Amino acid sequence: MTKRTGDGVDKTLRNLSHKRETSKSAFVLLLLIYAIAAFLTTMSSRIKGQVVIFNIPFEYSSLTGVFSLLTNTCAICLVMLFHKVGYITAMILVCSSFPMMFINVFVRQNYKNIPGFFNGLMVIVAITIIFLGNRKIVDYQKSIREQAVTDRLTGLPNRFACTELMNDFLHSNSRFALVAIDLNNFKSINDTMGHDTGDLVLKAVANRWKALADSTTTYTTEFIARITGDEFMLIISDYLTNDEVETAISAYKDELEKKITIDDCDYYLTACFGYTLCPDDSSVLENILTFADAALHEVKSSGSGSRILKFSPDVLNTERSLEIERKIRSALSDNKIIYHLQPQYDMDHKLIGFEALARLKEDNGTYISPAEFIPVAEKTGLVDRIDNRVFELAVKFMGDVLKETSSDITLSVNVSVRHLMKNTFLDEIRRVLEENNVSPEHIEIEITESIMIDSADKALQRIEELKRMGMKVAIDDFGTGYSSLSYLNNFPSDMLKIDKSFIDKMNQNEVSRQYVAMIISIGHTLDLKVISEGVESQDQVEVLRSIGCDYIQGFVWGKPVPPEEARKLINAD
Ligand code: C2E
Ligand code: MG
Ligand code: MG
C-alpha cells in the first residue's frame, strides 16, 4: 500500500515548529540596496568634483563614508533578519570586495584602499558577533515553539498542533476525519502498576501509532496527537471513500491491541474511537471537536462490542441525556426537585383535586420539562427517587391542607413502572402517608397504560394492594398504548385519563370526536370515571360535556402552579 500525499500535514508541522520566514522580497531589496551603495561607495571615491545637496556643496569623496555605512547597515540587517542565510550572504558580499582591495594595495600600491580594507574587517567581526548572539536566541525560540506544539511525555504533536492542522485543512477546504480516541481502563494500569509504568505504556502506544502514521500501511495520511492523559486524536486526510476512514481507524485499533511488554509485564490495551467527517458533518472547528467527542462518549458508554463509532446527530442527544442525568443527581442532593400542582375540575368547574408534577429547577430559575428529564431518570434508575421526593413533598402539602381546611380534594401522583415494581414501594407510600396524617382515600396513583401490558401480573398485585389500602388508581395517557379491553376489564382502576393528543384532535373532525366519546363510554361501561387531559379551550369543554366526560384537567381552567398558588385555589373554592 502507498500513502497518498501528505503535504498538508508536513507543511503545517513545518510552519508550526519554524518561525514563519521574513519575506523573500525583503531579502532581494537588501541585496539591491547593498549593491547600489557599494557601487556608489566606489564611484564617489574615484570621481573628483562636487555635488550640491540642499544648497550645500559636497565633495564626492566626502560621501564615500555615507555609502559605505549604508552597505554595512545592509549587511547587519541581512544577518539580523535572515540568520544563517543572511550571514553567509553578508560574508560573501563583504569578502567579495577584498581581492580588489588587495590588488589595489599590494599590486597597484594604492594605499587609499587601506581604510576600506579595515572597514571590511570590522564589518566581518560585527556581523559574526551578531550572528552568534542571534543564533542562541533563535535556537531558544525554536525550542520554545517546538515545546508549544509537542506533547512532552510522548513527543507526539499536542492538541494545539492538532487544531492548527484542522484550521489549515478548513482554510484550504480539504476534507478530513477527526477521530477522538480514549484508552479503555488505562486508569487501572496507573492504579495498580504506578504512574511511571503508566507513562511507559503511553509512550509505547504513542511510538506504535507514530510509526503507523509514518508507514505506508494505510492509503490515507494520518496525523496522531496526544491530547491529555490517555486521550489521543487522529486526523485522517487524503481518503477517497468514507470506508477508507474506518479502515485506517481499524489499523490503529489493531496496532494498539497487540501485546505491549514493559519490564517483563504484558499489557493488552483497547480503546474507543469516535469520529466525525469534515465537511460532511460540519465545517466549523468547534462542532468538529464536539462531534468527535460526542461519538467517543457514546461508544464508551454504550458498552457495545464495537469500539469505533461515526458521529450522528442522535449521539448529541446522549450528550444532552448525560447532562440531564448530572442535573438530576445534583438536584436530588440539593433539594432542587420540586413539584407543581395542576388543578382538576368536575364539569361544573368545581375543584376535585390536583395532579402533582415534578419540576427540575435550573440555577438560572428556569425549569427542565419532566417530558425531558423523566425519560432520562427512568433510563438511569433515578426516577423512583424523583417519584418519592415529589410524593413526600406533595403529601406533606395535602396533610397541611386537610388539617387546616375542610377540603375533600384528591392528590394524584405519577408513579413510574420502575418505582411501582420496587419491593419497598408500598412501605414507602405507607410511611409517608402516616407521617403526614393523610388518609389513603385522598391519594390517587397514576400509572401509564403500558404497565398493564409490560408487567401485568406483578403490577396487578401491587395495584390491588394499593386499592386494599384505600387508594385510587388512574390510568394515565389512556389511548396512547395498545392495551386490550380485557386488560382494562381486569385492572382494578378508578379513573381513565384521556391523553391530550385525542383532545387536541377532537374538534377537528367527527371521527376524532366519536373516538373520544367511545373512550368515555368504555370507561363508564367498566364503571370508571373519565378525566380529559390537556383541555385548552372552552369549545373542547363543551364537546366533552356533551359526550359525558366527568372531569377536566387542562390549561383552559388551570395550569400547573406552585403549592402556594394551589392553596389559594383551595381557599377560593
Ligand atoms: P402527565 O402525567 O400526563 O401530565 C400531564 C402533562 O400535561 C403535564 O406536563 C401537564 O403540564 C401537561 N398539560 C396539562 N394540561 C395541559 C394543557 O392544557 N396544554 C398543554 N400543552 N399541556 C398540558 P408536564 O408537567 O410537562 O409532565 C409531563 C409528564 O412527565 C407527565 O405527563 C408525566 O408522565 C411525567 N411526570 C411529571 N411528573 C412526574 C413525576 O413526579 N413522576 C413521574 N414518574 N413522572 C412524572
Ligand atoms: Mg400524569
Ligand atoms: Mg397524562
Side-chain angles (χ1 to χ4, degrees):
M1 275 191 202
T2 9
K3 275 192 196 296
R4 298 186 193 102
T5 65
D7 288 355
V9 176
D10 288 347
K11 203 174 120 219
T12 306
L13 274 184
R14 267 200 312 277
N15 286 345
L16 282 171
S17 53
H18 293 100
K19 193 180 163 200
R20 293 188 198 271
E21 281 154 16
T22 317
S23 77
K24 281 195 182 109
S25 46
F27 188 80
V28 175
L29 186 68
L30 281 174
L31 282 185
L32 199 69
I33 298 173
Y34 186 96
I36 296 170
F39 174 75
L40 292 174
T41 308
T42 314
M43 296 313 289
S44 59
S45 67
R46 287 186 191 161
I47 301 172
K48 301 255 183 289
Q50 285 186 335
V51 62
V52 179
I53 302 169
F54 297 122
N55 286 336
I56 306 168
F58 288 98
E59 289 290 326
Y60 278 119
S61 57
S62 68
L63 295 177
T64 309
V66 178
F67 296 130
S68 164
L69 196 65
L70 194 55
T71 56
N72 297 348
T73 311
C74 284
I76 290 169
C77 286
L78 278 168
V79 181
M80 298 277 285
L81 296 178
F82 300 97
H83 314 295
K84 199 170 173 183
V85 175
Y87 176 67
I88 294 169
T89 314
M91 283 295 267
I92 294 170
L93 291 173
V94 176
C95 293
S96 64
S97 60
F98 280 5
M100 205 56 201
M101 279 193 272
F102 268 108
I103 294 169
N104 281 341
V105 174
F106 296 111
V107 181
R108 297 184 189 152
Q109 315 244 307
N110 180 358
Y111 300 113
K112 264 169 58 185
N113 276 98
I114 290 178
F117 177 69
F118 279 107
N119 178 46
L121 280 182
M122 295 314 291
V123 172
I124 287 173
V125 172
I127 62 174
T128 305
I129 291 172
I130 292 171
F131 171 65
L132 292 177
N134 213 12
R135 202 174 66 179
K136 271 192 195 155
I137 296 171
V138 169
D139 287 349
Y140 180 64
Q141 285 175 341
K142 195 175 154 211
S143 96
I144 292 198
R145 268 194 301 276
E146 270 169 9
Q147 280 174 31
V149 295
T150 311
D151 169 53
R152 279 209 173 184
L153 178 72
T154 60
L156 288 181
N158 61 9
R159 175 187 274 274
F160 175 68
C162 227
T163 44
E164 283 297 290
L165 177 63
M166 284 190 277
N167 270 327
D168 274 11
F169 280 153
L170 289 171
H171 281 138
S172 59
N173 291 326
S174 312
R175 65 178 185 159
F176 67 93
L178 174 66
V179 191
I181 309 172
D182 194 291
L183 303 184
N184 296 328
N185 299 323
F186 180 73
K187 193 176 169 293
S188 65
I189 298 182
N190 268 343
D191 291 348
T192 52
M193 306 303 287
H195 283 261
D196 290 346
T197 309
D199 285 355
L200 291 175
V201 172
L202 286 176
K203 277 188 200 169
V205 171
N207 289 342
R208 274 193 189 177
W209 279 346
K210 177 85 179 66
L212 183 61
D214 293 343
S215 77
T216 52
T217 313
T218 52
Y219 284 121
T220 49
T221 305
E222 304 97 44
F223 175 89
I224 181 82
R226 176 168 174 250
I227 304 309
T228 152
D230 60 351
E231 290 172 33
F232 292 80
M233 260 185 195
L234 181 67
I235 296 173
I236 304 176
S237 57
D238 300 316
Y239 55 90
L240 297 181
T241 63
N242 291 353
D243 284 349
E244 282 189 2
V245 171
E246 234 166 89
T247 310
I249 299 174
S250 297
Y252 281 75
K253 177 176 164 289
D254 295 345
E255 194 62 27
L256 174 77
E257 291 178 2
K258 288 178 194 161
K259 182 174 77 179
I260 294 178
T261 307
I262 288 163
D263 293 337
D264 285 339
C265 278
D266 295 340
Y267 298 91
Y268 295 90
L269 287 152
T270 58
C272 287
F273 302 76
Y275 73 98
T276 182
L277 300 176
C278 168
D280 310 35
D281 295 327
S282 173
S283 311
V284 177
L285 184 63
E286 288 78 43
N287 291 349
I288 296 167
L289 289 164
T290 310
F291 291 175
D293 266 346
L296 174 65
H297 283 131
E298 175 68 17
V299 71
K300 261 200 118 83
S301 58
S302 72
S304 68
S306 167
R307 297 193 194 279
I308 302 174
L309 185 77
K310 182 188 172 314
F311 167 80
S312 74
D314 297 351
V315 159
L316 285 182
N317 292 339
T318 310
E319 282 289 285
R320 173 75 180 148
S321 299
L322 286 174
E323 191 191 333
I324 290 180
E325 184 188 338
R326 271 195 301 277
K327 286 187 176 167
I328 296 173
R329 285 187 193 279
S330 80
L332 280 166
S333 56
D334 300 348
N335 289 333
K336 280 201 202 121
I337 300 279
I338 55 162
Y339 70 105
H340 281 178
L341 292 166
Q342 185 174 27
Q344 300 169 326
Y345 294 94
D346 70 10
M347 299 313 287
D348 297 329
H349 205 157
K350 184 178 178 314
L351 186 71
I352 57 150
F354 292 95
E355 177 177 3
L357 294 159
R359 295 288 179 263
L360 199 164
K361 203 169 179 181
E362 296 242 58
D363 290 339
N364 61 11
T366 58
Y367 294 102
I368 301 179
S369 160
E372 193 172 10
F373 73 79
I374 292 288
V376 175
E378 274 171 347
K379 233 166 83 180
T380 49
L382 293 168
V383 75
D384 41 315
R385 290 175 62 192
I386 296 180
D387 282 359
N388 266 339
R389 180 68 55 84
V390 171
F391 190 70
E392 278 188 29
L393 294 171
V395 168
K396 183 171 182 318
F397 169 85
M398 267 306 269
D400 293 347
V401 166
L402 295 174
K403 204 161 53 189
E404 292 160 22
T405 68
S406 57
S407 181
D408 190 26
I409 55 170
T410 301
L411 174 74
S412 292
V413 285
N414 294 282
V415 168
S416 71
V417 191
R418 204 190 147 93
H419 189 202
L420 184 79
M421 296 301 174
K422 254 185 112 179
N423 290 335
T424 50
F425 173 74
L426 291 169
D427 291 342
E428 279 165 5
I429 299 264
R430 253 188 225 108
R431 177 186 62 79
V432 176
L433 291 179
E434 276 167 22
E435 273 177 18
N436 292 286
N437 213 11
V438 172
S439 140
E441 291 81 50
H442 287 286
I443 305 295
E444 182 175 70
I445 300 288
E446 291 191 12
I447 51 165
T448 54
E449 199 185 351
S450 62
I451 289 185
M452 294 195 290
I453 309 157
D454 300 339
S455 349
D457 288 348
K458 196 169 176 196
L460 202 63
Q461 287 171 19
R462 285 283 147 86
I463 287 159
E464 277 169 351
E465 186 62 30
L466 286 173
K467 292 281 299 176
R468 268 198 293 280
M469 283 165 66
M471 274 180 252
K472 287 176 245 174
V473 172
I475 299 177
D476 204 354
D477 305 339
F478 187 76
T480 55
Y482 300 95
S483 57
S484 73
L485 280 178
S486 75
Y487 276 128
L488 199 57
N489 195 21
N490 293 332
F491 220 71
S493 46
D494 302 86
M495 176 95 80
L496 280 190
K497 298 193 78 173
I498 306 179
D499 192 67
K500 179 176 183 300
S501 54
F502 298 104
I503 308 301
D504 285 345
K505 282 184 264 172
M506 188 180 64
N507 283 1
Q508 287 169 6
N509 57 55
E510 182 56 19
V511 177
S512 302
R513 196 186 70 89
Q514 289 288 346
Y515 194 84
V516 176
M518 189 189 68
I519 296 176
I520 294 172
S521 147
I522 291 170
H524 287 165
T525 309
L526 297 172
D527 208 15
L528 307 174
K529 294 286 184 195
V530 179
I531 183 166
S532 294
E533 264 193 303
V535 182
E536 291 183 339
S537 72
Q538 197 55 39
D539 284 355
Q540 290 170 332
V541 176
E542 294 317 322
V543 172
L544 288 167
R545 196 195 305 277
S546 72
I547 54 179
C549 183
D550 302 298
Y551 306 114
I552 297 282
Q553 178 183 344
F555 291 179
V556 64
W557 282 347
K559 291 190 171 181
V561 289
E564 318 81 71
E565 297 286 315
R567 193 60 193 262
K568 287 183 197 156
L569 291 175
I570 296 167
N571 293 339
D573 200 59

